Amino acid sequence: MKVVVSIGGSVLAPDLGAERIREHAAVIEQLVEDGCTVGAVVGGGTVARDYIGTARDLGANEMKLDEIGIDVTRLNARLLISALGEEATPSPPEDYEAAGAALKRGDVCVMGGVAPAQTTDAVGAALAEYVNADLLVYATSVPGVFSDDPNETDDATKYGELSAAELVDVIAGIEMNAGSSAPVDLLAAKVIQRSGMRTVVLDGTEPERILDAVKYGDHEGTDVIP
Amino acid sequence: MKVVVSIGGSVLAPDLGAERIREHAAVIEQLVEDGCTVGAVVGGGTVARDYIGTARDLGANEMKLDEIGIDVTRLNARLLISALGEEATPSPPEDYEAAGAALKRGDVCVMGGVAPAQTTDAVGAALAEYVNADLLVYATSVPGVFSDDPNETDDATKYGELSAAELVDVIAGIEMNAGSSAPVDLLAAKVIQRSGMRTVVLDGTEPERILDAVKYGDHEGTDVIP
Amino acid sequence: MKVVVSIGGSVLAPDLGAERIREHAAVIEQLVEDGCTVGAVVGGGTVARDYIGTARDLGANEMKLDEIGIDVTRLNARLLISALGEEATPSPPEDYEAAGAALKRGDVCVMGGVAPAQTTDAVGAALAEYVNADLLVYATSVPGVFSDDPNETDDATKYGELSAAELVDVIAGIEMNAGSSAPVDLLAAKVIQRSGMRTVVLDGTEPERILDAVKYGDHEGTDVIP
Amino acid sequence: MKVVVSIGGSVLAPDLGAERIREHAAVIEQLVEDGCTVGAVVGGGTVARDYIGTARDLGANEMKLDEIGIDVTRLNARLLISALGEEATPSPPEDYEAAGAALKRGDVCVMGGVAPAQTTDAVGAALAEYVNADLLVYATSVPGVFSDDPNETDDATKYGELSAAELVDVIAGIEMNAGSSAPVDLLAAKVIQRSGMRTVVLDGTEPERILDAVKYGDHEGTDVIP
Amino acid sequence: MKVVVSIGGSVLAPDLGAERIREHAAVIEQLVEDGCTVGAVVGGGTVARDYIGTARDLGANEMKLDEIGIDVTRLNARLLISALGEEATPSPPEDYEAAGAALKRGDVCVMGGVAPAQTTDAVGAALAEYVNADLLVYATSVPGVFSDDPNETDDATKYGELSAAELVDVIAGIEMNAGSSAPVDLLAAKVIQRSGMRTVVLDGTEPERILDAVKYGDHEGTDVIP
Amino acid sequence: MKVVVSIGGSVLAPDLGAERIREHAAVIEQLVEDGCTVGAVVGGGTVARDYIGTARDLGANEMKLDEIGIDVTRLNARLLISALGEEATPSPPEDYEAAGAALKRGDVCVMGGVAPAQTTDAVGAALAEYVNADLLVYATSVPGVFSDDPNETDDATKYGELSAAELVDVIAGIEMNAGSSAPVDLLAAKVIQRSGMRTVVLDGTEPERILDAVKYGDHEGTDVIP
């Protein structure tokens, strides 16, 4: 089974502490032991926000800020690589071809962002599509796809299951509200839709949930059905 | 004045004939003569569709098809470069940094696609944002932004002027309908919105319209106001 | 057995249709199944001629035209890759080292042109020499090496067998006539000569002939004997 | 006058705040205005230490830690680039040739680390040597070269002036004590010695001191005399 | 005036001594002073022959030997660069695009080989074509184009003038004899022919002859007329 | 067992003859046959000294001379690769990541220098640390670590065993004397110290000594104990 796991930066390294990273690495190692081919994509989190905030103060435009964000995601990827050791690519691949080559030769590939104007959510979906993955898992800080941003709206309800087309609609709706943030962004949702890939969105703050989701299809997040 | 012109593939080279390409080159040369710094982004058009169609038949996934599309956009960029001669970058830059460096040293930069899951529409907006362009012009096969795809819907009405936020809404609406195509895609619209860039969408089949739009603000397309 | 197959662009994709490409892929897959290591080099064909014609009209010099030609050969290589799927390199290697690495790890390598002022004929011979191939096959639009260009001269006779030195002489003779085209170019012939590589030139419009030639030495083209 | 300024990470961005970075940018802009060609090399500081600490916990070896450190120095370089705007290279050059090319065309070059097992101190000296700089300035967190680490030894005395050979000796002596840290490392000192470059080591926490040192030779740090 | 000078390795550095290199550099500097744009291509000479001989003994194939040859040409290019100082590219460009960019910004470009199965003779012609040079000069160890290799055949006669087509014929004839060596190789001759470039072949052991040939058209070698 | 062997240029190819290189290749092949993973780093030797001498005469600065030196080390690496054939990387990796990837997939990696201001001694230690080697062997022209340069000082005594910290002290002492040369340089010694790697320094002029040292720990050189 070929799995791509997209791990939010604040989920992987809320504070640059080693513990959470070690847990995520343990889950990936378990998946590999169970015979999975695993690609991981890692987000930027707090450090990215700090650097981007300062650079914005200093006058950088949005594209330059995206480049800074990408650099931080790659640093975070290096942390996960450190925990995985020789099973993983020695440094984060910078494009899909290098990532695909790593998976093909049996390495765990850990990457960050790829290009400006594209989040690591989208990179996760793109990588999964590129390697024809069987499953794409988003390990996010919210426990699934909601009708609205649950941090902004009280009566946001979680979807247990969604078609890819519905996912695109829901995310499009959430993104209309500038303040709100969706668990995956619209570009990612569209790639999921076009590729017809099975996708799960779940709470990544307890990494072993990823394991249950991949191995037993058992999770309390949202299933996106092609 | 720093201008980025995004030229649709079917607008630049509907049939690989030299004439239309020569006209677009003439417009760019005129702009340069008038003191403008010009970046051009070129789409894929018919040849891209042919290659993508065959590759899809042969079983390539969407990411691989995007890569094929990117290669064709770069071939088309080489045609425009051929017409521009030594004023232009000798080959299409493959990322924004190289493109920006070309503009900085006074070359006309002509590029195609940059990364999969990203149209040349989006590349145009991203390049414009990267270099802090004063104006972004989309030379498309439809004469502006319509309330709907005018090829699909009879009563589609053209907007003379639109805010960037409205542009995002309109495009999001059009993209909901699988069969319809918008003059610029949603990712491009979002980049336009976040960067607050002045943007014009106009009919590119008569290249000299670009000249009028840039020099005199005179055109029959759509103005996107930051 | 290590084989390099050089497939003319007009032989592989006379019209960008999927069928002929699928047949060539099937032959390569059969060779792999039979235990061969296979490298393929693909030419430019009609699309290359179209792009080059337009670019020449627009004023590009011969080196720039060569670059355009190379880009088209790589697009054609992507089509063959699409048909081969995960057995092949995900994109065409751009130099011999990357190609050799692919063959070494057991992938089918599919490449196009490498450098200007060098046809894909020459690339085929160079790749074969680089990887110490046992056999080099040219799948061309003429059914072997003739004393003259058979499309230009009625009494051109086909050689069943030729030494490499004779091949160089024959090709040199044909190339003297500007209008005539040889089945492989002179640089390729010289590489064949210097490397002492066994080479077959045959009609590539029926791909299964390649299979017979490789497996049984059975073909109606020309054998070049080191 | 060609100047290379090496700015310690904790001097440039002790807390990722914009203010100190803006001050350093202002000094560089002033130098450029006064006709200087300026290359800057930026260190890693607190963020580097945090990432390296976590990665070491996770089991990364020293070379991998160096790579992480390099990535952080480049992020810090991007902050200084953000403040400098279009005067600077758009992203940090990754080798001396790219850095030298930037200086040659009149850009301010801002870079971080280059290779593992080499600090940004050494990169500063190497860049200065590569471009035949007239002056190399180390803006550090200690106000010059001392006979010992002043944070470790009470009676450490500051040198007003030193020959390059003496510098090498002093630094070699300090580096013998594992706990102590020198204002520039031994490799940097040796490059300074072999190139015969005029060098100043000064307190970088007040950036305008750099200006005085470069323009008037006026500073309270240490002069290294070739 | 745009000039490309191709200097044989044994002409530039018969013994790695500094003197001959300094003379060639002086000629180039003089040309630049006189307003020329100058590209230089440098061959391998004795050191190349030594390395290639040993590698052949050790079992390397011809392509690998070509790679070794290319590396030596680039080393020789670095020597000429050392003599030219900041007027030249800091290191030898590895492809035509980088070389062309250097010439465009006014640097002297000094390069060696580019791709296996291609001599530096051919690189010289290709570079000249790529940049639309006005003149291509071969500074060789024989004083022009002869009817035969003058080192092999007593009654070889030197041509004062030749058409490009005649050059191709003469070279083709000489190359037929395995032992003989032509002043420029056949691929170079063909590029000269297709591009219609004015070309001079002359004795490069006295570098100032190049100066006379470029400035006054005055030389005792061979003129190749388009 | 993972071994990195650093072979001095004058040890590997005192005169570019094939014999010594063939012997070193045979030792490496024997190690591979015995189950070792082998990385080799090769120095510059006489050819490097010749090129560097000429370039220094011509005015190149030390960084440029380092680049020339690196190029020669890579040429020497190509000779060793020629002798090893398909067991080795086809060309010398230019960074640690590529080298590590080669070792991981079971190739013998042969590399030269990596970055200026860093000898191949240091590259050997850095590569060994990067890949977590079990043993690092320096095959040098002196038979171990001496209290002083034995070519300069009569009563220099050889150490049979040394701690890494002592190694650093001894090397630092030797390097103080401009004329003296140590068997490994100080940067290498420091990397050995920080990584805690088992290291042997021995006489490389008889390559089979490397075999005995690796297989049986049997040698007459110096053991550096972590």
Side-chain angles (χ1 to χ4, degrees):
Chain A
M1 189 182 189
K2 209 181 281 178
V3 190
V4 169
V5 184
S6 176
I7 311 174
S10 57
V11 166
L12 180 74
D15 53 2
L16 288 191
E19 198 42 37
R20 185 73 72 77
I21 296 163
R22 200 174 279 128
E23 287 170 25
H24 273 287
V27 165
I28 290 173
E29 283 164 349
Q30 188 58 51
L31 287 173
V32 170
E33 209 163 287
D34 294 347
C36 289
T37 301
V38 186
V41 180
V42 168
T46 316
V47 180
R49 268 191 298 281
D50 289 352
Y51 268 98
I52 287 173
T54 301
R56 184 176 276 123
D57 277 5
L58 292 167
N61 64 36
E62 296 292 317
M63 287 288 283
K64 297 287 176 67
L65 299 181
D66 282 357
E67 292 180 337
I68 287 175
I70 289 172
D71 276 9
V72 178
T73 60
R74 289 187 184 146
L75 267 168
N76 290 345
R78 285 192 188 274
L79 291 183
L80 186 52
I81 287 169
S82 298
L84 286 164
E86 306 216 343
E87 270 174 291
T89 50
S91 67
E94 302 198 357
D95 55 45
Y96 301 105
E97 183 164 349
L103 292 188
K104 200 170 172 183
R105 69 175 176 260
D107 285 353
V108 173
C109 128
V110 184
M111 71 194 301
V114 166
Q118 213 175 52
T119 63
T120 50
D121 288 353
V123 171
L127 175 60
E129 188 180 65
Y130 186 85
V131 300
N132 301 314
D134 302 294
L135 181 64
L136 167 62
V137 179
Y138 284 98
T140 75
S141 56
V142 287
V145 181
F146 284 72
S147 55
D148 269 298
D149 182 343
N151 297 317
E152 299 286 320
T153 315
D154 277 353
D155 60 349
T157 57
K158 186 170 70 177
Y159 295 98
E161 196 178 297
L162 225 73
S163 74
E166 287 167 335
L167 177 72
V168 169
D169 281 357
V170 170
I171 303 295
I174 297 177
E175 289 205 351
M176 289 296 143
N177 303 330
S180 300
S181 77
V184 303
D185 77 354
L186 186 54
L187 183 53
K190 287 184 170 182
V191 173
I192 291 169
Q193 183 183 27
R194 79 176 190 181
S195 66
M197 209 152 35
R198 206 154 65 77
T199 304
V200 170
V201 180
L202 50 69
D203 178 356
T205 57
E206 296 184 33
E208 63 278 13
R209 290 172 188 231
I210 298 170
L211 203 58
D212 290 342
V214 175
K215 291 179 66 173
Y216 313 112
D218 189 11
H219 64 90
E220 296 179 11
T222 300
D223 270 309
V224 184
I225 307 300
Chain B
M1 189 181 189
K2 207 182 283 176
V3 190
V4 170
V5 184
S6 176
I7 310 174
S10 57
V11 166
L12 179 73
D15 54 1
L16 289 192
E19 198 43 37
R20 185 73 72 75
I21 297 164
R22 201 175 279 127
E23 288 170 26
H24 273 287
V27 165
I28 291 173
E29 281 164 352
Q30 188 57 51
L31 287 172
V32 170
E33 209 163 286
D34 294 347
C36 288
T37 301
V38 185
V41 181
V42 168
T46 316
V47 180
R49 266 191 300 281
D50 288 352
Y51 269 99
I52 288 172
T54 301
R56 185 176 277 124
D57 277 5
L58 293 167
N61 64 36
E62 296 292 317
M63 288 288 283
K64 297 287 175 67
L65 299 181
D66 283 358
E67 292 180 337
I68 286 175
I70 289 172
D71 276 9
V72 178
T73 60
R74 289 186 185 146
L75 267 169
N76 290 345
R78 285 192 188 274
L79 291 183
L80 186 53
I81 286 169
S82 298
L84 286 164
E86 304 216 344
E87 270 175 289
T89 50
S91 67
E94 301 198 357
D95 56 44
Y96 302 105
E97 183 163 349
L103 293 186
K104 202 173 173 181
R105 67 175 178 261
D107 285 353
V108 173
C109 129
V110 183
M111 71 194 300
V114 165
Q118 214 175 47
T119 64
T120 50
D121 288 353
V123 171
L127 175 60
E129 188 180 66
Y130 187 85
V131 300
N132 301 314
D134 301 295
L135 181 63
L136 169 62
V137 179
Y138 284 98
T140 74
S141 55
V142 287
V145 180
F146 285 72
S147 56
D148 268 298
D149 182 343
N151 297 319
E152 299 285 320
T153 315
D154 277 351
D155 61 348
T157 58
K158 187 170 68 176
Y159 297 97
E161 196 178 299
L162 226 72
S163 75
E166 288 167 335
L167 177 71
V168 168
D169 282 358
V170 170
I171 302 295
I174 296 176
E175 290 204 352
M176 288 297 144
N177 302 332
S180 300
S181 78
V184 303
D185 77 353
L186 186 54
L187 182 55
K190 288 184 170 182
V191 173
I192 291 168
Q193 183 182 28
R194 80 177 189 180
S195 66
M197 211 153 33
R198 206 156 64 76
T199 304
V200 171
V201 180
L202 51 69
D203 178 357
T205 57
E206 296 184 31
E208 63 279 14
R209 290 171 188 232
I210 298 169
L211 204 58
D212 290 342
V214 175
K215 291 179 68 173
Y216 314 112
D218 189 12
H219 64 91
E220 294 178 14
T222 301
D223 270 311
V224 184
I225 307 300
Chain C
M1 190 182 190
K2 208 181 281 178
V3 190
V4 170
V5 184
S6 177
I7 311 174
S10 57
V11 166
L12 179 73
D15 54 1
L16 288 191
E19 200 41 37
R20 183 73 72 75
I21 297 163
R22 201 174 279 128
E23 287 170 24
H24 273 287
V27 165
I28 291 173
E29 283 164 350
Q30 187 59 50
L31 287 172
V32 170
E33 210 162 286
D34 294 346
C36 289
T37 301
V38 185
V41 181
V42 168
T46 315
V47 180
R49 268 191 298 280
D50 289 351
Y51 268 99
I52 287 172
T54 301
R56 184 177 278 122
D57 277 5
L58 292 167
N61 64 35
E62 296 292 317
M63 287 288 282
K64 297 287 175 69
L65 298 181
D66 283 358
E67 292 180 336
I68 287 175
I70 290 171
D71 276 8
V72 177
T73 60
R74 288 185 185 147
L75 267 168
N76 291 345
R78 284 191 189 275
L79 292 184
L80 186 53
I81 287 169
S82 297
L84 286 164
E86 306 215 342
E87 270 174 290
T89 51
S91 67
E94 301 197 358
D95 56 44
Y96 301 105
E97 182 164 350
L103 293 187
K104 200 170 173 184
R105 67 175 178 262
D107 285 352
V108 173
C109 129
V110 184
M111 71 194 301
V114 165
Q118 215 175 50
T119 63
T120 49
D121 288 353
V123 171
L127 175 60
E129 188 181 65
Y130 187 84
V131 300
N132 302 315
D134 302 293
L135 181 63
L136 168 62
V137 179
Y138 284 98
T140 74
S141 56
V142 288
V145 180
F146 284 72
S147 55
D148 268 297
D149 181 345
N151 297 317
E152 301 285 320
T153 316
D154 277 351
D155 61 348
T157 56
K158 187 169 68 176
Y159 296 97
E161 198 179 297
L162 226 74
S163 75
E166 288 167 336
L167 178 72
V168 168
D169 282 358
V170 170
I171 303 294
I174 297 177
E175 290 205 351
M176 287 298 146
N177 303 331
S180 301
S181 79
V184 303
D185 77 353
L186 186 55
L187 183 54
K190 287 185 170 180
V191 173
I192 291 168
Q193 182 183 29
R194 80 177 188 180
S195 66
M197 210 152 32
R198 204 155 65 77
T199 304
V200 171
V201 180
L202 50 71
D203 178 356
T205 56
E206 295 184 31
E208 62 278 16
R209 290 172 188 231
I210 299 170
L211 203 59
D212 290 342
V214 175
K215 289 178 69 171
Y216 313 111
D218 188 10
H219 64 90
E220 294 177 13
T222 300
D223 270 311
V224 184
I225 306 300
Chain D
M1 189 182 191
K2 207 181 283 177
V3 191
V4 169
V5 184
S6 175
I7 310 173
S10 57
V11 167
L12 178 74
D15 54 2
L16 287 193
E19 199 41 38
R20 185 72 72 77
I21 297 164
R22 200 175 279 126
E23 287 171 25
H24 273 287
V27 165
I28 290 172
E29 282 163 350
Q30 189 57 52
L31 287 172
V32 171
E33 210 162 288
D34 294 346
C36 289
T37 300
V38 186
V41 181
V42 167
T46 316
V47 179
R49 267 190 300 280
D50 289 351
Y51 268 99
I52 287 172
T54 301
R56 185 177 275 124
D57 278 6
L58 292 168
N61 65 36
E62 295 294 315
M63 287 287 283
K64 297 285 175 70
L65 299 181
D66 282 358
E67 292 180 336
I68 287 175
I70 290 172
D71 276 8
V72 177
T73 61
R74 289 184 186 150
L75 267 168
N76 290 345
R78 285 190 188 275
L79 291 183
L80 186 53
I81 287 170
S82 297
L84 286 164
E86 304 214 343
E87 271 176 290
T89 50
S91 67
E94 301 197 357
D95 55 45
Y96 302 105
E97 183 165 350
L103 293 186
K104 201 171 173 183
R105 68 175 177 262
D107 286 351
V108 174
C109 128
V110 184
M111 71 194 301
V114 165
Q118 214 175 48
T119 65
T120 50
D121 287 354
V123 171
L127 175 61
E129 188 181 67
Y130 187 85
V131 300
N132 301 315
D134 302 294
L135 181 64
L136 168 63
V137 179
Y138 284 97
T140 74
S141 56
V142 288
V145 180
F146 285 73
S147 56
D148 268 298
D149 181 345
N151 297 316
E152 300 285 321
T153 315
D154 278 351
D155 61 348
T157 58
K158 186 169 68 177
Y159 297 97
E161 197 178 296
L162 225 74
S163 74
E166 288 166 335
L167 177 71
V168 169
D169 282 357
V170 169
I171 302 294
I174 296 178
E175 290 205 351
M176 288 296 147
N177 302 332
S180 300
S181 77
V184 302
D185 77 354
L186 186 54
L187 182 55
K190 288 185 169 181
V191 173
I192 291 168
Q193 182 183 27
R194 80 176 188 180
S195 65
M197 208 152 35
R198 205 155 65 76
T199 304
V200 172
V201 180
L202 51 69
D203 177 357
T205 58
E206 296 185 29
E208 63 278 15
R209 290 171 187 232
I210 298 170
L211 204 58
D212 289 342
V214 175
K215 290 179 67 172
Y216 314 111
D218 189 13
H219 64 91
E220 294 178 14
T222 301
D223 271 310
V224 184
I225 307 301
Chain E
M1 187 181 191
K2 208 181 283 177
V3 191
V4 170
V5 184
S6 176
I7 310 173
S10 58
V11 167
L12 179 74
D15 55 0
L16 288 191
E19 199 42 37
R20 184 73 71 78
I21 296 164
R22 200 175 279 126
E23 287 171 26
H24 273 286
V27 165
I28 290 172
E29 282 164 349
Q30 189 56 51
L31 287 173
V32 170
E33 209 163 287
D34 294 347
C36 289
T37 302
V38 186
V41 180
V42 168
T46 315
V47 180
R49 267 190 300 279
D50 289 352
Y51 268 99
I52 288 172
T54 301
R56 184 175 277 126
D57 278 5
L58 292 167
N61 65 36
E62 295 293 315
M63 288 287 284
K64 297 287 174 68
L65 299 181
D66 282 358
E67 292 180 337
I68 286 175
I70 290 172
D71 276 9
V72 177
T73 61
R74 290 187 183 145
L75 267 168
N76 290 346
R78 286 191 187 274
L79 291 183
L80 186 52
I81 287 169
S82 297
L84 287 164
E86 305 216 343
E87 271 175 289
T89 50
S91 67
E94 302 197 357
D95 56 44
Y96 301 105
E97 182 163 349
L103 293 187
K104 200 171 173 183
R105 68 174 177 261
D107 286 352
V108 174
C109 130
V110 184
M111 70 194 301
V114 166
Q118 214 175 49
T119 63
T120 50
D121 288 353
V123 170
L127 175 60
E129 188 181 65
Y130 187 84
V131 301
N132 302 314
D134 301 295
L135 182 63
L136 168 63
V137 179
Y138 284 97
T140 75
S141 56
V142 288
V145 181
F146 285 71
S147 56
D148 269 298
D149 181 345
N151 297 319
E152 301 285 321
T153 316
D154 277 352
D155 60 350
T157 58
K158 186 169 67 174
Y159 296 97
E161 197 178 296
L162 224 71
S163 75
E166 288 167 336
L167 177 72
V168 169
D169 282 357
V170 170
I171 303 294
I174 296 177
E175 290 205 352
M176 289 296 145
N177 304 332
S180 301
S181 77
V184 302
D185 76 355
L186 185 54
L187 182 54
K190 288 185 169 182
V191 172
I192 291 168
Q193 182 184 26
R194 79 176 189 179
S195 67
M197 209 152 36
R198 206 155 65 77
T199 305
V200 171
V201 179
L202 51 67
D203 177 357
T205 56
E206 295 184 33
E208 62 280 14
R209 291 171 187 232
I210 297 170
L211 203 58
D212 290 342
V214 174
K215 291 180 67 172
Y216 314 111
D218 190 10
H219 64 92
E220 295 178 13
T222 301
D223 270 310
V224 184
I225 307 300
Chain F
M1 189 181 190
K2 208 181 281 177
V3 190
V4 170
V5 183
S6 176
I7 311 173
S10 57
V11 166
L12 179 74
D15 53 1
L16 288 192
E19 200 42 35
R20 184 74 72 77
I21 296 163
R22 200 174 279 130
E23 287 170 25
H24 273 286
V27 165
I28 291 173
E29 282 164 349
Q30 188 58 52
L31 287 172
V32 170
E33 209 162 288
D34 294 346
C36 288
T37 301
V38 185
V41 181
V42 167
T46 316
V47 180
R49 267 190 301 279
D50 289 351
Y51 269 99
I52 287 172
T54 302
R56 184 177 276 124
D57 277 5
L58 293 167
N61 64 36
E62 296 292 317
M63 287 287 284
K64 298 286 176 68
L65 299 180
D66 282 358
E67 292 180 337
I68 286 174
I70 289 172
D71 276 8
V72 178
T73 61
R74 289 186 185 146
L75 268 168
N76 291 345
R78 285 191 188 274
L79 292 182
L80 186 52
I81 287 170
S82 297
L84 286 164
E86 304 216 343
E87 271 175 290
T89 50
S91 67
E94 301 196 358
D95 56 43
Y96 302 106
E97 183 164 348
L103 293 186
K104 201 171 171 183
R105 68 173 176 261
D107 286 353
V108 174
C109 128
V110 184
M111 70 195 300
V114 165
Q118 213 174 48
T119 64
T120 50
D121 288 354
V123 171
L127 175 60
E129 187 181 65
Y130 187 84
V131 301
N132 302 314
D134 301 295
L135 181 64
L136 168 63
V137 179
Y138 284 97
T140 75
S141 56
V142 286
V145 181
F146 285 73
S147 56
D148 268 297
D149 182 346
N151 298 318
E152 300 285 320
T153 316
D154 278 352
D155 61 349
T157 58
K158 185 169 69 176
Y159 297 97
E161 194 178 299
L162 225 73
S163 74
E166 288 167 337
L167 177 72
V168 168
D169 282 359
V170 170
I171 302 295
I174 296 176
E175 290 204 352
M176 288 297 144
N177 302 332
S180 300
S181 77
V184 302
D185 77 354
L186 187 53
L187 183 53
K190 287 183 169 184
V191 173
I192 290 168
Q193 183 183 27
R194 80 177 189 179
S195 66
M197 210 151 35
R198 205 156 65 78
T199 303
V200 170
V201 180
L202 50 70
D203 177 355
T205 57
E206 296 184 31
E208 62 278 13
R209 290 172 189 230
I210 298 169
L211 203 59
D212 290 342
V214 174
K215 290 178 68 171
Y216 314 111
D218 187 13
H219 64 91
E220 293 178 15
T222 302
D223 270 310
V224 184
I225 307 299

